Structures are given as structure tokens and as C-alpha cells.
Amino acid sequence: MTMTVEKTRTGGADYDAVVVGAGFGGLYAVHKLRNEQGMNVKAYDNAADIGGTWFWNRYPGAVSDTESFVYRFSFDRELLQRGRWKNRYVTQPEILAYLNEVADHLDLRRSYEFNTKVSAAQFDDATGLWKVTTDKGQAVTAKYLITGLGLLSATNLPKFKGMDTFKGRILHTGAWPEGVELAGKRVGIIGTGSTGVQVITATAPIAKHLTVFQRSAQFVVPIGNTPQDAETIARQKATYDDIWKQVKSSAVAFGFEESTIPAETASPEERDRVFEAAWQRGGGFYFMFGTFSDIATSQVANDAAADFIKRKLKQIVKDPETARKLTPSDLYAKRPLCGDDYYGVYNRDNVTLADVKADPIAEFTLTGIRLASGAEHELDVVIFATGFDAVDGNYTRMDMRGRNGVSLRDMWKEGPLGYLGIMEAEFPNLFMILGPNGPFTNLPPSIETQVEWIADMVKTMEAKGLKTSEPTAQARDQWVELCRTIANMTLFPKAESWIFGANIPGKKNTVMFYLAGLGNYRKVLSGLSESGYPTIIFD
Ligand code: N01
């Protein structure tokens, strides 16, 4: 790619667009606006380099539980054909290397200022520009503000008494430093979500002793990770056009055909046959969406899937008391989890399971963790796999102000709103990538969908000489209501998880996703652009 220096075309502005984030979303936005539309783009990331989520989440065992062939961008044929991966699931170092390769291939790095956090963004009614302020005290103006802040990047670090006096090391999986050595150490892990499952299975074989502090027992199926042979990869590369067509018209975009057969109508023997095949195949989303079509919507189907997993757990875990603690008591309706022999980990002599729902963490001592019962666990390292203030957490931690100084934090205090997961009323020319009420899928295909729609709208505005765009409050409210209605057709709101903000004390439990799938979401977006954006106010 030849080096060019773009000139700002927006009168009175420092840049045409500011992009925040150097993950999948931000990188693609810089490419679309700068490389394809010739805009002068300034980009920031708080991290020291490219990668977003995959820069920070370097914990042992970090892997994407989406299969390697669809955990990447689809838009660049050359990059697709160059793609390298060893296993069915792509690891964090591989993803980070891939995103760096994308950045170099598309010459994106030169637009970025790293180690720079955007602390505030304010829309100026008089100039129609955004003023973006960083933690280094810089302030720049731009017509468009594109935020690729990540769905899961504001870390949730619960506070426990005595944490500051603990003599060992405290780490959060979402801000993992270089050079951590867990081998031979007494390690405690708090949290058993997707991250917990990965870090637990990776740590158990190397730690001197591992204590898992489990608050909620989880349904975990095998991931089925295997080396991927050259023939399979060649076949995937040769059929990418068909693969992406299928992915983008599917619901969860994981690269498998979702089932259309309800478990409700299947016999118990047939259900078990299908669940067993899925167990052998591996994959969390596959187990929930590839087996039967109604696991997430029918209590009968959900119970059948849950019972199957519970039976497996009982067969695998040798100690009946540990098996009892590991058995979930709620329904199977959180983000589906998968792991590499997760339940088998608890058969190891060097692993202890502490049920901190029954016996909560009372405090950190100088040398470990004491539970309410008085039981003490001596530890050298405590790993918090306690998740994130998801979806809106990154937005509300920033000071964002739209028309007439309206604060996003105030607007979203009863739960985030947002139109299409992309825009917000009274916040002109703000385009969020994976903002609230967007699709719940394998993320790269949803990110591409959103960035392409944003770039199209920007192109239309530039061609017509328009200054601002924002959704009507009515369209936004209707979208939020639609997301609620769809969510209530599923069993997901009945389980307590970050998907509804239930993991953060004090956070209002609310719908934050459009759960009707990527295919339907893409139809909504294309319908809007083809009909001239009837729900958007342009100025
Ligand atoms: O976070 P989580 P995560 N005391 O919120 C527990 C994506 N992801 O980082 O269930 C004790 O799911 C909490 O307990 P409970 C993926 O979308 C993707 O694991 O609230 N425990 C729970 O067990 C995923 O869903 C990949 O009762 C406390 C855990 O901590 C999302 O990230 C890999 C506690 C948090 O689980 C988030 O997953 C990894 C407390 N005070 C993650 N507070 C891929 O493979 C919380 N917990 C692509």
C-alpha cells in the first residue's frame, strides 16, 4: 500500500473522523473511512499496540471458542487466503498476530496513537463537530466519532476486604501482564464463565495447587479442539464465498448450520443421540444452537439439554460432593460455555473447588482467602476471571455528551438504549461498533456488518454534503422495545448473566442485545439504507 497523507475535508475540523479502538472494529473502520473514502482519520487506543480484546486478554488458555476459519475478517480475499492457524480454535497469540498482519497489510498503524485513552467526547452544537479529549490532555475535533470500544473490555474487579494487604499477586484475566509464571504456584481463580473455564483448564496441569472459587455452577460442554489438517484448511479457503454467505445469513454466525428441528418434538432417545453427537463434536454454541432449534426458547428443550449435560458431569466427576457442587441449579441460558475436559479438571489431586455461593469469600488474608465458614486457602496468586462491565460499561466510564451537553451516562442510567447497536438519539454522527442492542453472535461478522453500514452512511452524507445524522428518539425507543420483546421470547432473561448486566452490583438488569440473529439484523440494516434511512434525521 502506498503512503499517502490525507487532508481533512471537513471545514474547521482537525480530522474528518476520530476512531477509538484498535480491535477488529476500530481497525476496519479506519480502513473503510481512510483507505476507501480518503478521509483524514485519527485513531486512539489505550493499549500499547493493535489488538483490542486480544491485546489485553493474554491469560493462559485464551482462545476464541469460534472456529478459526470464521474468526476473522471476510472482506479481504488476499488475507483470507493467507490465513494461518494450527487448530480448530484460534489462540490469543494467533489472533493478535493476525490483527497485526491486517494492520500492516492495510497500513493502518500510522493512523493510531497508542497508550492514549479517550476520556471525553463532546458534541458542539455550534460547529457540528465532536471534540475528543484524551488522558494526555490533547483535544481534537472531528465530524464523525466512531467508537470500537469492545463489548467486553471494561474489567469487573470485585472488591473484597483485605485485598490490598494480600502479599501474593492479584491479576485480572482482562488486563493480563507479560511474564506471569503460574507453574509450581498455589493459584486461586475466582469466576467460572467463558474466561474462567479457559484459564482453569490451562492452569490446573501446571499449578502446584489450584483452588477454584465458584459462585455459580455452569453448563460446560467439550470444545473439541484438534489440530486442523492442511486439507481441511484448503477446503475452507476454497469455499469461503459460500461460507460467508451462510455465516451472514445465520443467527449466531459461528460457521455451522443452525438446527431447524425442535427438541420438543423429538423422542428422548433421539434427543440423547443428537446431544451425544454434539458432545463428541464439541463447541458451546453448537450444543445450544446446532442440536435443536428450541433450546433457548422452550423450557422442555432446555431441560433436556441441561439434563444431558448434568448426566455427563456426574459420569465424569469422581467425587460425588464435587459433582454436586458443580451441578447447575438454574436453566441453561447463559452464553454457552465450552472447555477442554473442564469437568475432568476436578478429578485432579491438585484442584479444589470452593463453592462461594454456599460459603462466600469473607476476606483476603495476608497469605490467601478466608471464607465465611473460616476455611482458609493459602495462595500465591489470585486470578480474577470475573468478567466485564459489558456493553455500555466503556461508554459510561467516559464523559460523552451529545446535543446541548446531554450526558450519555445520564441518558443510560436506567440501562443503555441505542439504535441498531450503532447510533443514539441526540448524539449526532456518533457511530458505535457493538454498541447496546446490537446482535449477539460470533463478533467479527457482526462488526463487519456494522462498519460497512456506518461507512455507507458516511459516504452518503459526504456525497450529499450533509452535516449531521442521528436517529429519531421514536425509532430508538421502538428498537429498544423490539429488542426487549425478542429477548422475552427466549429463556435468556431468566438466567442471571452479564448479557443483561446482572453481573455488576447495582447495574440495572436490562436487555442489551438484539437476539434475532445476524441474518435478520442484516436485513434490517440493508432495508434502512435501501429505503433512504427513514428513521434518521439528517441536517
Ligand atoms: O465473564 P463472565 P467472562 N464473587 O461474566 C464470577 C467472552 N469471552 O470473562 O456467574 C465470585 O461470564 C461470576 O459468577 P456468577 C464471552 O462472550 C469469550 O468469563 O455471576 N464470583 C462468573 O462465574 C463471555 O461470555 C471468549 O455467579 C464472581 C465469572 O465471575 C464473556 O467474554 C473467551 C464475582 C464471570 O463470568 C465474559 O466472560 C472468554 C464475585 N464477586 C470470554 N463476580 C471466547 O472464547 C463475578 N464472579 C471468544
Side-chain angles (χ1 to χ4, degrees), residues 54 59 63-66 71 152 156 158 160 173 190-196 198 213-216 218 334-335 337 356-357 361 385-388 440 496 498 503:
W54 300 101
Y59 58 86
V63 66
S64 165
D65 61 14
T66 304
Y71 200 78
L152 296 145
N156 170 40
F160 293 102
T173 49
I190 303 176
T192 52
S194 302
T195 306
Q198 294 183 352
F213 298 90
Q214 170 197 275
R215 190 165 66 179
S216 299
Q218 306 275 10
K334 296 184 182 179
R335 183 200 186 269
L337 308 187
V356 296
K357 195 167 257 173
I361 296 174
T386 43
F388 303 89
F440 185 75
E496 290 202 339
W498 66 262
N503 62 327

Side-chain angles (χ1 to χ4, degrees), residues 114-380:
F114 293 106
N115 295 308
T116 308
K117 190 177 196 156
V118 169
S119 49
Q122 190 170 6
F123 181 75
D124 182 337
D125 294 87
T127 60
L129 301 177
W130 280 95
K131 181 178 163 201
V132 177
T133 310
T134 73
D135 62 350
K136 289 184 174 161
Q138 303 157 306
V140 297
T141 55
K143 179 171 176 180
Y144 302 99
L145 174 59
I146 322 285
T147 49
L149 305 183
L151 205 55
L152 296 145
S153 45
T155 52
N156 170 40
L157 186 71
K159 298 271 173 289
F160 293 102
K161 196 177 149 200
M163 258 165 82
D164 45 350
T165 54
F166 174 57
K167 284 202 175 133
R169 198 157 182 196
I170 292 179
L171 302 164
H172 192 291
T173 49
W176 197 263
E178 291 287 353
V180 177
E181 187 51 80
L182 298 177
K185 300 258 165 67
R186 296 167 305 171
V187 180
I189 298 180
I190 303 176
T192 52
S194 302
T195 306
V197 165
Q198 294 183 352
V199 72
I200 287 164
T201 49
T203 305
I206 55 168
K208 180 174 180 200
H209 193 89
L210 170 63
T211 308
V212 176
F213 298 90
Q214 170 197 275
R215 190 165 66 179
S216 299
Q218 306 275 10
F219 293 97
V220 186
V221 306
I223 188 167
N225 202 4
T226 46
Q228 199 116 76
D229 58 73
E231 260 170 58
T232 307
I233 295 176
R235 195 172 58 246
Q236 288 165 337
K237 286 185 177 175
T239 53
Y240 255 132
D241 287 350
D242 292 338
I243 287 170
W244 292 121
K245 208 168 150 201
Q246 188 278 332
V247 165
K248 290 176 188 177
S249 61
S250 71
V252 293
F254 268 69
F256 60 80
E257 291 288 345
E258 286 130 12
S259 175
T260 53
I261 299 164
E264 276 201 11
T265 59
S267 67
E269 295 73 27
E270 177 61 5
R271 287 177 194 164
D272 274 5
R273 191 191 62 74
V274 172
F275 289 140
E276 181 61 38
W279 186 272
Q280 298 306 329
R281 176 197 185 277
F285 273 77
Y286 185 82
F287 199 90
M288 191 178 268
F289 297 101
T291 50
F292 293 104
S293 59
D294 54 353
I295 308 277
T297 52
S298 147
Q299 191 64 60
V300 173
N302 195 271
D303 285 347
D307 285 349
F308 181 88
I309 300 172
K310 287 182 198 171
R311 269 185 275 144
K312 283 286 187 191
L313 181 168
K314 218 170 163 186
Q315 284 163 16
I316 296 167
V317 181
K318 292 189 184 126
D319 173 42
E321 179 55 10
T322 306
R324 188 192 60 75
K325 287 186 197 165
L326 282 168
T327 304
S329 53
D330 53 356
L331 68 178
Y332 176 44
K334 296 184 182 179
R335 183 200 186 269
L337 308 187
C338 54
D340 192 5
D341 190 26
Y342 175 69
Y343 293 132
V345 162
Y346 295 93
N347 290 331
R348 297 179 63 97
D349 291 337
N350 70 333
V351 176
T352 305
L353 177 65
D355 175 357
V356 296
K357 195 167 257 173
D359 187 6
I361 296 174
E363 62 178 334
F364 278 56
T365 63
L366 289 179
T367 54
I369 288 180
R370 183 182 297 131
L371 304 182
S373 64
E376 294 209 20
H377 297 273
E378 297 283 303
L379 303 164
D380 303 311

Side-chain angles (χ1 to χ4, degrees), residues 411 424-426 470-479 535 537:
M411 200 184 225
E424 182 53 285
E426 296 184 65
E470 66 192 285
T472 65
Q474 191 195 18
R476 188 268 323 273
D477 290 346
Q478 284 172 353
W479 180 257
T535 50
I537 309 163

Side-chain angles (χ1 to χ4, degrees), residues 24 64 66-76 79-91 94-95 97-99 101-102 233 236-237 240 243-244 247-248 253 442-448:
F24 274 92
S64 165
T66 304
E67 290 188 49
S68 308
F69 72 109
V70 284
Y71 200 78
R72 53 197 60 244
F73 286 121
S74 72
F75 71 86
D76 190 307
L79 277 172
L80 278 174
Q81 293 308 317
R82 262 203 236 159
R84 294 177 303 283
W85 56 93
K86 291 195 190 86
N87 295 325
R88 187 166 166 207
Y89 298 94
V90 71
T91 61
E94 288 174 311
I95 302 168
Y98 165 72
L99 289 174
E101 188 181 353
V102 170
I233 295 176
Q236 288 165 337
K237 286 185 177 175
Y240 255 132
I243 287 170
W244 292 121
V247 165
K248 290 176 188 177
N442 166 33
L443 293 175
S446 284
I447 288 169
E448 278 192 322

Side-chain angles (χ1 to χ4, degrees), residues 503-520:
N503 62 327
I504 302 296
K507 187 166 176 172
K508 187 144 191 272
N509 204 320
T510 187
V511 172
M512 300 200 285
F513 287 97
Y514 170 82
L515 293 179
L518 181 59
N520 288 325

Side-chain angles (χ1 to χ4, degrees), residues 17-34:
V18 163
V19 171
V20 191
F24 274 92
L27 291 175
Y28 192 34
V30 172
H31 171 63
K32 292 294 282 184
L33 298 186
R34 196 200 71 189

